Amino acid sequence: MNAHQNELKHDLSDSFLSGEEENGIITKNIKNEINGNWISAPNSIHEARLKAKAKRRLRKTSSRDSGRGDSFSDNGDPSRGTNGTVPPTSPKSKLLDRKSRAGKGRGLPKKGGAGGKGVWGPPGEVYDLEEVDVKDPNYDEAQENCVYETVVPPLEEGDFEKTLTPIVQEYFEHGDTNEVAELLGELNLGSMSSGVPMLAVSLALEAKASHRELTSRLLTDLCGRVLSRRDVESSFDKLLRELPDLVLDTPGASQLVGQFIARAVKDKILSKSYLDGYKGRVDCVHARAALDRAAVLLKMGMGGLRIDNLWGTGGGQRPVIQLVREMTLLLKEYLLSGDNKEAERCLRELEVPHFHHEFVYEAIVMVLESKGEKTFKMVLQLLKFLWVSSIITVDQMRRGYERVYMDIAEINIDVPRAYFILEQFVDKSFSAGFICEKLRDLCPSRGRKRFVSEGDGGRFKLESY
């Protein structure tokens, strides 16, 4: 029973050290059982047991006392072995400890979180170029000065239209020329760059007037960035040669191409001598019509026509003053060319059927202010043509004449013969059949002066107006 008690005391002493054991002083004899006999343990066993106890205690306090050579007891004295040596610290605790060895810092991760396995470094760190090791078995002297570049294969002719058509059609939706320039810059067009303006114009011929305006802007912005002036000239040359085929799908292609040429000359992406190079050398009727159209527009541009606003925008989006100006220019162009169909097309493209009474008003005022019979006959012919083609309705024609009737007194101040000319024009209009008899009878007439009046002394007045 005593043996079991002694053995229990020894086990408890392994876990808890008394004050004497902490100071290295042992007063009791330690015994051990060998082959059932109780014998006194040698000093070597006693020293080994003390060292084991000291190591176990150091392991418990290593997390808070790491980095210090001595461990302290409860009363603050350093605990040492029997030989006065400092108990070794646990190397395992140093490896697992993530705190600063100097006892400084805020407890943050080391290296700002940039350290650790599989981490290249903190964000934004710039690494120097690694020097080539000549002794590397994979070293190749021929590759030391190599420059790697992205090579875009040239666009094949069969894929040209298939690739560029969606780009142009998408441009008609967003209207951003920079995006088109970036997309074309990523393609290796090569010698096919001259086909870009031709493709864009061909698609615009079948689109609206607003799309043609976008096409003119696109050609202007691409010239100098993606295209050269030579590419634009060769593209319009191809358009003129293929006009007979384009007219089959778009009957007004000749006039539209002429307007594109005039706009390109105005925007300075075509030289002013471009039209002169075709004089006397054009056999195709459609190409000649396109060049004549461009020449007329450029001539009118010298007289004040704004060719940069040639295509215009939707009628409901423009102010009244601009619409009046465009109708006046339309009439002036018609007096120069005498083309009724062209005037009809231009008036239809204005997209303002509710404002055609202004066109009738401006046409009659132009007749009143003219001095020759040519304007009288041409305007009368144009109004009859527009009436027959149903471009100008009965209501719009009537309102146009009534507006002239209301303003004839003011017009007569600048044009003394305005009443006489208006009566003649109204009679001719009624004879042509595009105004009714009631509208003709509403035409105002200046009161005739009496040949003999009181107080004139019987003198005859030869003036009838």
Side-chain angles (χ1 to χ4, degrees):
M1 188 68 181
N2 294 331
H4 289 290
Q5 290 178 354
N6 292 334
E7 188 176 359
L8 180 62
K9 290 181 181 179
H10 290 307
D11 294 337
L12 294 174
S13 65
D14 291 344
S15 302
F16 303 98
L17 295 177
S18 63
E20 294 178 354
E21 288 176 341
E22 290 179 357
N23 295 328
I25 302 174
I26 306 299
T27 58
K28 296 182 179 180
N29 294 329
I30 303 174
K31 296 181 180 182
N32 195 4
E33 183 180 3
I34 302 176
N35 296 326
N37 298 321
W38 293 96
I39 60 173
S40 300
N43 294 333
S44 60
I45 296 177
H46 173 67
E47 293 178 357
R49 183 171 293 174
L50 290 177
K51 291 181 181 180
K53 293 177 182 180
K55 288 182 179 180
R56 285 196 296 270
R57 183 172 180 82
L58 285 174
R59 290 192 189 101
K60 295 179 181 179
T61 60
S62 61
S63 60
R64 65 176 181 273
D65 295 333
S66 61
R68 292 183 290 181
D70 298 333
S71 62
F72 295 89
S73 62
D74 295 337
N75 57 6
D77 297 329
S79 63
R80 299 177 182 272
T82 56
N83 298 332
T85 60
V86 179
T89 58
S90 175
K92 184 177 181 182
S93 63
K94 291 184 179 180
L95 293 175
L96 298 178
D97 184 22
R98 299 185 62 82
K99 294 187 177 181
S100 174
R101 297 291 185 271
K104 300 179 181 179
R106 297 174 295 167
L108 300 177
K110 297 179 181 180
K111 301 181 183 179
K117 184 177 180 181
V119 180
W120 288 90
E125 183 175 355
V126 180
Y127 296 93
D128 297 333
L129 295 176
E130 185 178 357
E131 297 182 0
V132 180
D133 187 5
V134 181
K135 297 181 181 180
D136 190 348
N138 295 326
Y139 172 75
D140 188 0
E141 185 178 0
Q143 297 181 356
E144 185 174 354
N145 297 325
C146 289
V147 178
Y148 297 93
E149 295 181 356
T150 303
V151 179
V152 180
L155 192 64
E156 298 182 359
E157 186 176 357
D159 298 334
F160 177 80
E161 185 174 353
K162 186 186 303 182
T163 304
L164 265 68
T165 299
I167 296 177
V168 177
Q169 290 177 345
E170 184 179 359
Y171 165 72
F172 289 159
E173 299 297 331
H174 59 73
D176 189 358
T177 58
N178 293 326
E179 182 177 346
V180 179
E182 293 177 359
L183 293 175
L184 294 180
E186 296 175 357
L187 301 176
N188 187 0
L189 297 176
S191 60
M192 291 187 293
S193 59
S194 60
V196 175
M198 180 178 177
L199 178 62
V201 173
S202 300
L203 294 175
L205 293 179
E206 301 175 359
K208 300 179 181 179
S210 57
H211 295 163
R212 295 167 194 149
E213 173 66 21
L214 290 174
T215 303
S216 296
R217 294 180 185 177
L218 178 63
L219 297 182
T220 303
D221 292 345
L222 291 182
C223 188
R225 297 176 60 182
V226 181
L227 307 174
S228 62
R229 294 185 65 179
R230 180 58 187 168
D231 293 334
V232 178
E233 290 183 3
S234 60
S235 181
F236 277 106
D237 291 341
K238 294 179 182 178
L239 278 172
L240 292 175
R241 289 195 297 268
E242 296 186 6
L243 265 179
D245 296 333
L246 294 175
V247 171
L248 298 177
D249 297 329
T250 308
S254 300
Q255 302 298 326
L256 294 177
V257 171
Q259 292 181 212
F260 273 112
I261 293 175
R263 177 67 179 271
V265 173
K266 181 65 177 180
D267 293 338
K268 298 181 180 179
I269 60 176
L270 278 180
S271 60
K272 295 182 179 180
S273 59
Y274 180 78
L275 297 178
D276 297 336
Y278 279 96
K279 286 185 176 180
R281 299 171 49 191
V282 180
D283 297 331
C284 179
V285 178
H286 303 289
R288 190 182 303 111
L291 295 172
D292 291 342
R293 171 67 173 168
V296 170
L297 291 176
L298 292 174
K299 184 177 180 181
M300 294 179 64
M302 298 175 61
L305 174 65
R306 290 186 58 186
I307 300 181
D308 55 348
N309 196 23
L310 184 64
W311 303 109
T313 55
Q317 302 177 1
R318 284 174 291 182
V320 174
I321 297 177
Q322 183 179 356
L323 288 173
V324 173
R325 186 184 302 113
E326 292 185 2
M327 288 181 178
T328 304
L329 293 175
L330 191 157
L331 288 169
K332 291 181 179 179
E333 180 184 353
Y334 166 73
L335 294 178
L336 291 176
S337 62
D339 192 347
N340 294 330
K341 293 183 179 180
E342 176 63 17
E344 175 192 357
R345 186 189 60 79
C346 293
L347 185 61
R348 191 190 300 272
E349 287 182 354
L350 290 179
E351 300 177 3
V352 284
H354 61 281
F355 201 59
H356 286 172
H357 61 85
E358 177 65 28
F359 180 81
V360 177
Y361 175 83
E362 295 294 337
I364 298 175
V365 171
M366 190 173 292
V367 171
L368 299 179
E369 294 177 351
S370 63
K371 297 181 180 179
E373 294 291 332
K374 180 180 178 181
T375 305
F376 187 99
K377 295 179 179 180
M378 292 184 67
V379 171
L380 186 66
Q381 180 183 358
L382 176 62
L383 292 179
K384 181 179 179 180
F385 179 81
L386 296 176
W387 167 267
V388 173
S389 59
S390 300
I391 300 300
I392 299 180
T393 61
V394 177
D395 180 66
Q396 295 295 316
M397 188 72 73
R398 178 183 57 79
R399 291 183 60 185
Y401 274 82
E402 288 178 351
R403 287 183 57 193
V404 177
Y405 293 167
M406 294 174 59
D407 297 341
I408 188 62
E410 297 181 2
I411 298 174
N412 188 70
I413 297 175
D414 298 327
V415 184
R417 301 179 69 247
Y419 280 96
F420 175 72
I421 299 174
L422 180 60
E423 286 184 2
Q424 288 186 334
F425 190 82
V426 170
D427 291 337
K428 294 292 184 181
S429 301
F430 175 74
S431 301
F434 56 87
I435 66 171
C436 61
E437 182 178 359
K438 182 179 179 180
L439 186 60
R440 183 199 64 177
D441 296 339
L442 291 176
C443 177
S445 60
R446 186 175 181 182
R448 297 177 177 271
K449 294 182 180 181
R450 291 174 295 175
F451 288 95
V452 179
S453 61
E454 298 179 357
D456 291 336
R459 291 181 301 169
F460 287 94
K461 293 184 178 180
L462 300 177
E463 297 179 358
S464 59
Y465 291 91

